[in-house]
Amino acid sequence: MSKESTPRRFKLFIICSMAAISGLLFGYDTGVISGAILFIRQEFHLTTLVEELIISMVSLGAMLGAITGGPISDRVGRKVVVLGSAAIFVVSAICLSLAPNPTTIIVWRFIVGYAIGVSSTTAPLYISELAPYTLRGSLVTLQQLFITIGILIAYIAGLLLAKFAGWREMFALAAIPAALQFFVMLFFPESPRWLTIRGYEARAKDILERYRGSREDAEKEVDFIVSKMKSVEPSWRELFSSRFGPALLAGVGLTVIQQVTGINTVIYYAPTIFKLAGFASDKAAILATTWVGVVNVLATFIAVFFFDKIGRKPLLVIGLGGMVVALGVLGAGFLPIFASPAFETAAHISIASMIFYVACFAFSLGPGGWLINSEIYPTQIRGKAMGFATCANWITNFIVTATFLNLINLLGKAGTFWLYGILGVFGIVFILRRIPETNNKTLEEIQDYWNN
Ligand code: BGC
């Protein structure tokens, strides 16, 4: 249990929430396009190719942002990079809302994606490096909580603004949280761990003193980081060596499992799936999708409260186990024998299992993927490795969502969801065998785990 005093916890909570606004923008900007594209399509008479480009540009930008964001934050600091990405979010929200043609939209969607990639790599690092180890799970999970809130706001904005085809307003809305993050974070400290690695130990001690309570604790922590630090920053090639390989495999593996178990087929295609499951009207399907968004937010609180209490691995395994069961039932609900009107309840079971699936993701793989990646890497590779894992996350996201409709044609609806379920079973084995328990350990103790 945490020994942090309440005012200090509160201060940390505010700082980490401001950093986690990056998550809100991540969720909002990825979610908003499903509503906005309907009206952009109408206004500019898009061809299929241009429409696909507008939708997929964010993923491409995010891949580039992730792979470059980590090393940049190693060089110039975590806070500077979060500030930079907030500035890009503001500018791109304004430019997108004023876009005169589809080409401008494509370019700025790529730039938004770049900012998402950069900040989804850096914000969790910033939080995990500032947080005391007893609160690290909850505080890093704020990032995922904000992603889910961002997705929900995007669904709701889509519903409300649809009445007057307000795609420009949908894009513009993102400028508000981004500007807030930029101005507030100007007054926040740099990551003390990054300062230590860069040789600014005195500044790191001053900052930590404010967030740990005593000068003595702050000095102990900085001295400990220094004693564990290897001065040479490894090259990209060394990242794959036997020294760092196991940590990288664990982090990348988890981030890939987060995606191949199909979460974004639900997040991006929920209305389509609801219609496949028997919902009659578009409106009912979109409303049900909003409920998916609400459950996604609410279930994330389970992780906020329990990651630091019962540990990361139990929640990951229970959640992924629940997802596998839900996928099994969801798939079965689509079998032809249940297709007749006599089996109306089967449609309801499918819907319930989809909601259960999202809830299980929200307290396990959703936050866990980002949390474990922000804490398992040795100090000297943290930025690069996190960037690499985040890039793998976006590539897998892209492949899974781009192949979803084709897979349904190839394997059928049941086969497609069962395939995600089978990959989930492999995921459980991987988590049990490859992921270390990081609860209640300092980042240095986790580093020692790999050295041993
Ligand atoms: C994933 C996203 C997903 C979101 C859903 C995040 O952890 O990285 O791909 O859309 O969770 O809540």
Side-chain angles (χ1 to χ4, degrees):
M1 203 63 42
S2 166
K3 57 180 171 30
E4 303 304 313
S5 72
T6 308
R8 219 171 319 121
R9 271 182 189 220
F10 183 70
K11 232 174 4 180
L12 276 165
F13 173 79
I14 296 294
I15 296 183
C16 296
S17 299
M18 284 300 130
I21 286 183
S22 299
L24 187 94
L25 294 159
F26 170 163
Y28 184 79
D29 276 319
T30 49
V32 78
I33 196 64
S34 58
I37 196 72
L38 304 173
F39 310 110
I40 300 175
R41 186 191 297 147
Q42 262 169 23
E43 185 167 330
F44 295 113
H45 309 289
L46 303 179
T47 62
T48 313
L49 176 69
V50 173
E51 183 171 331
E52 279 174 357
L53 281 175
I54 291 178
I55 291 175
S56 57
M57 269 305 139
V58 162
S59 306
L60 293 182
M63 288 172 207
L64 186 70
I67 205 81
T68 54
I72 296 176
S73 80
D74 276 348
R75 208 129 287 167
V76 301
R78 317 291 193 218
K79 175 182 151 178
V80 177
V81 169
V82 175
L83 280 175
S85 60
I88 302 179
F89 277 122
V90 174
V91 176
S92 50
I94 295 169
C95 292
L96 273 168
S97 71
L98 300 174
N101 52 46
T103 313
T104 315
I105 300 179
I106 292 173
V107 171
W108 283 102
R109 286 288 290 168
F110 180 82
I111 297 172
V112 167
Y114 185 81
I116 291 176
V118 167
S119 62
S120 58
T121 308
T122 314
L125 286 181
Y126 176 79
I127 300 173
S128 79
E129 293 180 348
L130 190 68
Y133 69 94
T134 47
L135 296 177
R136 203 175 53 232
S138 305
L139 292 175
V140 178
T141 299
L142 288 176
Q143 156 96 356
Q144 174 70 14
L145 183 65
F146 276 53
I147 294 178
T148 60
I149 294 174
I151 294 173
L152 180 61
I153 297 176
Y155 285 163
I156 294 172
L159 267 179
L160 298 181
L161 294 169
K163 288 196 189 84
F164 54 96
W167 65 269
R168 294 183 186 276
E169 290 78 0
M170 290 182 202
F171 284 139
L173 217 58
I176 301 170
L180 174 74
Q181 183 186 45
F182 184 86
F183 287 112
V184 177
M185 279 220 36
L186 279 175
F187 302 98
F188 288 168
E190 180 49 273
S191 149
R193 183 167 302 266
W194 180 83
L195 287 169
T196 308
I197 298 162
R198 289 281 142 180
Y200 305 109
E201 290 163 34
R203 248 174 80 199
K205 285 178 185 170
D206 291 345
I207 293 170
L208 274 179
E209 189 179 346
R210 273 184 272 148
Y211 299 98
R212 298 291 184 270
S214 75
R215 183 76 189 176
E216 200 195 337
D217 280 356
E219 291 192 339
K220 241 196 256 162
E221 193 166 332
V222 171
D223 294 344
F224 196 49
I225 298 171
V226 172
S227 73
K228 292 282 169 189
M229 230 166 52
K230 309 277 182 302
S231 50
V232 192
E233 190 189 322
S235 64
W236 277 106
R237 246 208 15 225
E238 279 172 273
L239 216 60
F240 304 96
S241 66
S242 58
R243 189 161 144 225
F244 299 121
L248 192 69
L249 178 68
V252 172
L254 191 62
T255 213
V256 168
I257 295 165
Q258 190 200 59
Q259 295 298 327
V260 293
T261 41
I263 185 62
N264 284 314
T265 62
V266 174
I267 298 293
Y268 301 166
Y269 292 101
T272 312
I273 301 176
F274 278 126
K275 290 204 81 179
L276 290 176
F279 268 68
S281 75
D282 284 349
K283 205 169 154 215
I286 291 174
L287 215 66
T289 303
T290 311
W291 281 109
V292 168
V294 172
V295 169
N296 196 13
V297 174
L298 293 182
T300 308
F301 280 100
I302 300 175
V304 173
F305 292 118
F306 289 108
F307 263 148
D308 287 328
K309 292 201 172 81
I310 63 172
R312 302 2 174 187
K313 279 179 82 167
L315 275 190
L316 280 171
V317 171
I318 295 169
L320 185 48
M323 287 167 69
V324 169
V325 172
L327 286 165
V329 177
L330 181 61
F334 285 118
L335 288 177
I337 82 161
F338 292 125
S340 78
F343 281 104
E344 209 187 309
T345 43
H348 291 132
I349 291 173
S350 300
I351 289 150
S353 56
M354 196 161 123
I355 293 202
F356 181 64
Y357 164 85
V358 170
C360 289
F361 174 87
F363 71 76
S364 62
L365 279 182
W370 298 105
L371 172 60
I372 295 277
N373 267 284
S374 76
E375 53 190 5
I376 56 168
Y377 300 118
T379 302
Q380 67 270 39
I381 63 161
R382 189 161 292 140
K384 267 194 186 132
M386 178 81 183
F388 185 78
T390 307
C391 184
N393 183 279
W394 279 101
I395 293 174
T396 326
N397 179 343
F398 184 74
I399 295 172
V400 172
T401 47
T403 53
F404 175 59
L405 297 177
N406 292 324
L407 267 186
I408 288 190
N409 284 336
L410 197 74
L411 305 176
K413 294 168 221 157
T416 303
F417 290 112
W418 284 344
L419 174 66
Y420 299 144
I422 292 168
L423 293 171
V425 174
F426 285 116
I428 293 175
V429 177
F430 183 87
I431 291 168
L432 289 173
R433 297 186 57 166
R434 294 281 176 177
I435 306 287
E437 180 53 81
T438 52
N439 186 27
N440 248 320
K441 292 193 173 65
T442 65
L443 296 178
E444 281 63 42
E445 284 164 354
I446 299 169
Q447 187 161 334
D448 275 346
Y449 167 86
W450 297 114
N451 291 340
N452 295 333

